[in-house]
Amino acid sequence: MMADNTAAYPHLADEVRGISDGAKIPLHDAWVATLINELEALMPDRPLQRDRSPGHCSDVYAVDDAGNFSEGHNEDWPGPVHDFYYYLAITGTGEPNAPGSCAGLIYPGALAGWGPSWNAHGVYLTQNSLFPNVSLPRGLGSAFVQTDALCGESGARGIDGVVKALSRGGWATGASVNLVDLKARRMASFEAHVDDHAVREVPTTAGPANQTHVNRYKWMDVAQDGSHAASSLHRQARFDALPAPRGREDVARLLSDEGDEEYPVFREMTLASLVLDSTGHLDAWCCG
């Protein structure tokens, strides 16, 4: 995977090397942090944990009757990482093949563009982890594909440029990527698995809409790991049962929902909740 991602994205491999140097950690540790999605997908089954796997993130799109739209995201990850994530802004130098200007929520050792992130051209991105049965021991990591798509030259071309870069194929596994383009006033839900992908545009002309996404393939027919099914199915059923959101307050209310006591939308492992609206205003809150 190091060889494949270095060949495809040499400038981002340099970023990983810089993270390693700056943090004074072994280079392979920085690569592990950046490829954690792909490496976890290749881990052998652990039966004691499979039935209660909590899943990860949730996303909610909303549009009102006037065409004002919002996109909300719960960033979920269990364990001690809640004490160590941070927000980072990078200003690009404009040099060829160098990272562009990008900002967002960053995990230790990871790249901007993997967690909730945005670029200087008004494009915003969040990711939901997906768990296909087939993951490859080589190929492109989601952090590399997404960071290049959002923060590189493709990101300057808006949502279409980002989607084209995400659609290149060669992923080691796959992901769900949720997109907002403030300048073009467009939203989209993108899914990828290895060499295949699907895109669903979210209409922004009139509401209400109740388009949501959790940790299950929704637009593609992909065999999925059942260990994450219960959490995702419960959260999806809860979203479907509630009234369609009409604005940012409704989106925040859905992200904060604890109505399903067994598998709530908002839970102890929720690191942060973020809501972006069509004016470009982003709210982020955390820590209970």
Side-chain angles (χ1 to χ4, degrees), residues 130-154:
L130 299 177
F131 305 95
N133 284 346
V134 175
S135 294
L136 307 180
R138 64 177 305 163
L140 302 179
S142 58
F144 286 91
V145 182
Q146 292 171 209
T147 299
D148 181 72
L150 182 70
C151 306
E153 295 179 358
S154 299

Side-chain angles (χ1 to χ4, degrees), residues 225-236:
D225 180 355
S227 66
H228 293 265
S231 169
S232 293
L233 293 174
H234 276 244
R235 283 178 285 138
Q236 188 65 67

Side-chain angles (χ1 to χ4, degrees), residues 104-194:
L105 185 155
I106 311 294
Y107 288 101
L111 298 168
W114 185 37
S117 308
W118 54 95
N119 67 19
H121 307 285
V123 182
Y124 173 78
L125 171 157
T126 69
Q127 188 211 76
N128 289 331
S129 297
L130 299 177
F131 305 95
N133 284 346
V134 175
S135 294
L136 307 180
R138 64 177 305 163
L140 302 179
S142 58
F144 286 91
V145 182
Q146 292 171 209
T147 299
D148 181 72
L150 182 70
C151 306
E153 295 179 358
S154 299
R157 296 191 288 274
I159 196 169
D160 290 330
V162 173
V163 167
K164 183 176 180 180
L166 294 173
S167 306
R168 63 172 292 163
W171 294 57
T173 179
S176 159
V177 181
N178 306 282
L179 297 167
V180 178
D181 185 332
L182 293 171
K183 291 185 178 180
R185 296 184 60 82
R186 293 170 61 193
M187 299 192 293
S189 175
F190 174 93
E191 292 178 349
H193 179 237
V194 189

